[in-house]
Amino acid sequence: MIQIPRGTQDILPKDSHKWQFIEERLHAIAKNYNYKEIRTPAFESTELFVRGVGGSTDIVNKEMYTFKDKGDRSLTLKPEGTAPVVRSYIENKMQHDVVQPTKVYYMDPMFRYERKQKGRYRQFVQFGIEAIGVEDPLIDVEVLSMLMHIYQSFGLKDLKLYINSIGDQDSRAAYNEALVDHFRPSITEFCTDCQVRIDTNPMRILDCKKDRDHELIRTAPRMYDYLNEESKAYFEEVKSNLDAIGIGYEIDYNLVRGLDYYTHTAFEVMSDAEGFGAITTLCGGGRYNGLLEMLDGPHETGIGFALSIERLLLALEAEGIEIPEPEGIDLYICALDEKATEKASHIVHTLRTKGISCDIDYKRRKLKAQMKDADRKGAAYTIVLGGEELSTGNVELKHMGSGESKTVHLDELHTLLEEK
Ligand code: HAM
């Protein structure tokens, strides 16, 4: 039997309403903050991620689904959404759009070849936003406030927002040097990945899952102490404005993020809920001031975040928050014989075109089984069609909730249901 690929999942009809509920909410919140949807392809040139996300990151090194197409081009299923959005921004010269800054969001499947674990999939859906074309602490605050608004709108409480500043390129370079001095003498005590990272990307040692309990991680120099005056001032302004609008956060000086493009504000949201599982990061993001130029774009900067709907659902489950059940159909027509079934199929055809959701029994079961079916399908009303109803055109319209019924003519059905 052919099985679903490892690390992927089917969203079954019994669960898809949960996704739709979340997706609708996310579209609505994005509208609130005036972000417009952008859709980029499922695959991009591999080079985009190597240059954009960074050749020394786990995503590029270990996790990409890369393949050659028939024209011998190297393509990669997108592992994240920021580099594609920036590619599109540059290609479509959005810096010249009349509406500025560019504020976009996406809700797209992403692909990473990761070890399967609760909350970690090889295909997952990210909702992400990017604000490109403005460097102002207040837009950083807007991005963070939207993020926390999203979680609060679903009723989630056991969350923590962690922020840090990675500073500008100069601060980052100075900090990297300090880290190399700190780790180099004992680097053989670290995992083989970290032994490479010390030369390619020392900041990532702080983020290592294997070595996180090593004493030298705890005693490592703090990024904050290497921020230059400008970077410090930027960070202070972000923090004071978060305070002003009452958004709680904690500073995590070791938060460096797993992608290379970050500068200044970086952040993650973690779940504190019991039973959430080992992977507690719900969302991550930050500012990327050099990314556009790195991809041969204009001198513009951006900031954004991405969260996966899979982990949002896990957080809701962990906090016992239920998503409302979907509404059932408006009407179910039971039919007593062949002729009535045929007529019922004509009636539902007309009613559906008038915007009424309705169904019949194509399995031609007995009346009792049809009533059960109506109940399972959440029908608000039912009617029963038999010989008499067909000859008079009058039917008993039964309200399933109250059990009350009244006689109506078949031609009036649609108006009555619209009134309900
Ligand atoms: P990221 O931290 O790699 O950042 O991923 C963001 C979020 O995607 C994670 O916090 C998590 O919710 C979700 N996620 C990542 N991997 C998986 C997985 N294997 N299974 C389920 N969920 C997953 C980025 O992707 C950046 N592009 C975010 C960003 C936008 N930065 C600036 N703008």
Side-chain angles (χ1 to χ4, degrees), residues 50-93:
V50 176
R51 275 168 61 191
V53 176
S56 66
T57 59
D58 282 356
I59 293 182
V60 170
N61 268 331
K62 304 179 183 167
E63 298 168 2
M64 296 207 302
Y65 282 91
T66 296
F67 59 96
K68 284 264 175 82
D69 72 2
K70 291 191 167 55
D72 210 32
R73 300 172 194 89
S74 180
L75 300 170
T76 294
L77 296 183
K78 61 183 168 190
E80 63 100 48
T82 309
V85 166
V86 167
R87 194 256 324 127
S88 175
Y89 178 96
I90 297 169
E91 207 166 334
N92 292 291
K93 300 189 173 48

Side-chain angles (χ1 to χ4, degrees), residues 303-416:
I303 179 167
F305 68 73
L307 60 89
S308 71
I309 298 189
E310 287 80 357
R311 289 196 196 165
L312 173 56
L313 277 163
L314 279 178
L316 292 173
E317 203 182 296
E319 292 199 30
I321 297 168
E322 286 189 9
I323 288 176
E325 282 299 317
E327 278 184 16
I329 53 174
D330 296 323
L331 175 72
Y332 188 99
I333 306 182
C334 303
L336 296 179
D337 55 35
E338 290 275 313
K339 234 176 144 194
T341 305
E342 215 170 82
K343 176 74 177 168
S345 79
H346 301 163
I347 296 172
V348 287
H349 164 74
T350 311
L351 290 177
R352 285 167 181 161
T353 61
K354 293 188 190 310
I356 289 166
S357 59
C358 43
D359 216 344
I360 57 170
D361 175 36
Y362 292 104
K363 288 184 163 264
R364 308 190 181 214
R365 287 167 286 197
K366 297 247 176 320
L367 179 62
K368 206 169 153 196
Q370 290 186 46
M371 286 308 249
K372 213 178 214 174
D373 193 32
D375 197 42
R376 288 204 186 107
K377 289 177 175 155
Y381 291 90
T382 52
I383 58 174
V384 179
L385 278 190
E388 197 187 322
E389 286 79 8
L390 290 189
S391 63
T392 63
N394 286 330
V395 291
E396 287 297 302
L397 180 70
K398 182 175 173 191
H399 185 252
M400 295 295 274
S402 63
E404 280 169 19
S405 58
K406 60 177 166 185
T407 310
V408 298
H409 195 271
L410 282 174
D411 296 341
E412 297 173 323
L413 264 180
H414 68 277
T415 47
L416 279 165

Side-chain angles (χ1 to χ4, degrees), residues 80 82 112 114 121 126 130 257 261-262 282-283 304 306 308:
E80 63 100 48
T82 309
R112 295 186 191 177
E114 291 198 84
Y121 302 92
Q126 268 189 352
E130 312 294 346
R257 308 272 303 127
Y261 46 62
Y262 292 109
L282 290 182
C283 172
S308 71

Side-chain angles (χ1 to χ4, degrees), residues 159-225:
L159 300 173
K160 249 192 209 117
L161 167 65
Y162 292 94
I163 62 170
N164 192 20
S165 171
I166 295 175
D168 57 14
Q169 318 284 29
D170 291 345
S171 312
R172 203 176 150 141
Y175 184 51
N176 271 331
E177 229 169 85
L179 287 177
V180 171
D181 292 345
H182 178 75
F183 287 116
R184 179 77 78 195
S186 319
I187 196 64
T188 50
E189 294 168 25
F190 285 75
C191 72
T192 47
D193 281 345
C194 284
Q195 294 183 25
V196 175
R197 283 174 186 142
I198 192 151
D199 294 313
T200 56
N201 194 351
M203 261 164 45
R204 294 298 320 283
I205 299 175
L206 298 175
D207 205 28
C208 179
K209 287 164 197 114
K210 287 188 201 133
D211 292 317
R212 67 173 143 215
D213 297 325
H214 196 290
E215 173 68 8
L216 285 183
I217 300 268
R218 208 177 47 76
T219 57
R222 286 189 329 170
M223 178 77 236
Y224 190 81
D225 300 324

